Amino acid sequence: MEHLHSTICALATPPGEGGIATVRVSGPDSYAVVGRIFAPIRKEKRVADAKGYTAMLGHYLLHGAEMDECVALFFRAPHSYTGEDVIELSVHGGTAMADGLLEALIDVGCAPAGPGEFTRRALENGRMSLTQAEAVMEVIAANGRQGAALAKSALDGRLAKRIGKIQTALQTLNAHLTAWVDYPEEDVPELSDEAFVKTLTDQKAELDALIQGYSAGAVLRHGVDCVLLGRPNVGKSTLLNLLAGFDRAIVTPVAGTTRDIVEQAVQLGNVRLNLFDTAGVRDVGDDGDAIEAEGIRRSWKKLDEAGLVLAVFDAAQPLGEDDIELARKCKGRPAIAVLNKQDLAGECSDVPRGTLETYFKKIVPMCAKDAVGLQALTDAVADLLGTARLDPTAAQLCSARQLSAATRARDALTEAITARQNGFGLDAAAVCLTDALQALFDLTGEDATAATIDEVFETFCVGK
Ligand code: GDP
């Protein structure tokens, strides 16, 4: 791969105004190219002699002209982020000085780095696993402290370790099976059916736990798209304002004033809600306002797409047809019924809870106008989305690719267990087991076949 042999450079800090801008250089010629454009303040110093983990002050040169002051940080292969020779050059922030520096580097033979190329090199040079490389992106993209903690646990290699444990258990089993099937003349102990199924079941449970934690983890890292629905005047805008902490939508006592979808991100406990306030849901009929009808159509569409639905009802009024229609559409979705205006409803709400309970997993009484019930809503959301049960320091899958590989592995194990329970031979189960291992190796980016073969000879010495 040609790109492995080139020396690359790129701006490592975000573009825009700031105190410092850092350009990273990585590759076999890092010291040579930087040596040509870096003039140390102390004339006796030379870039080529710089030891790893040291710094040097100087100026960079563009077409021979002395430019900005520049601090060079040196890393020697393999003790660097990419595993190659790396030099980080810091100049004054803003883009002008960094742009000049990049131009100077490219002039003397550096190639501009492609997206994620430093991390890709780190992966190819064995500095990190595939799951860690993915976690780098997640750490950068994470919002909120818990999301960052979650991504960091993958970066620390905890996810790789958690998957590694599953791999080891399955590999040992596979090695045993392979030895037993392929070397019948050797003294390989027979595998009891019970032990076989137990190992598969245990590892399947591990994978199930990882798969189940994925969506809650994604909610912590990226937030959840949330839609507020309810017929006009139930208090949706009031609730939105309560969540947002200031007057975002115009609240009026006249029905049908909220027509546009208002986007707003608010933090509710440890979850970020990407909120969509929608036009009040009600049947406008044929002679209804066309713009309002369009707003309502969009509301129903949002309901299909949202990761969380807050359906608002007026506790002081009996359920109308529009309310029932909304409740029905919420069935089976991640939806919470907010019974608003508890202050007007008094002790006995006019809304029969039993009816709502058939459609919603959670019902939260509130008085949005007076900020009553916000904690109960926070708890209900954390519980419904599973974030309450998730340990942010535990390893979790952190990309759709990882989820798909883990799911493939889990399904293959299920198949292996079923095959065995239905009386198929060990060789049939072994095929499923190999599929599961392949999926896990895809997950971590390793090569299954070689690893499995190694294991066979390591544990059983059948080749002798
Ligand atoms: P929307 O049409 O669903 O967005 O409803 P609004 O948020 O505009 O609220 C309609 C009216 O109900 C406003 O006059 C609010 O002040 C009032 N309201 C909202 N929440 C409550 C509540 O919890 N108790 C009482 N008494 N009034 C409320």
Side-chain angles (χ1 to χ4, degrees), residues 230-239 250-258 277-278 280 312 340-344 366-370:
R231 68 183 157 76
N233 252 14
V234 290
K236 296 180 299 297
S237 306
T238 311
L239 177 60
I250 308 154
V251 182
T252 70
V254 184
T257 48
T258 313
D277 180 27
T278 55
V312 188
N340 195 32
K341 305 200 188 181
Q342 283 297 317
D343 55 319
L344 296 182
M366 286 194 81
C367 172
K369 191 166 64 87
D370 299 327

Side-chain angles (χ1 to χ4, degrees), residues 60-67:
Y60 80 84
L61 310 172
L62 179 61
H63 310 308
E66 191 171 282
M67 303 291 286

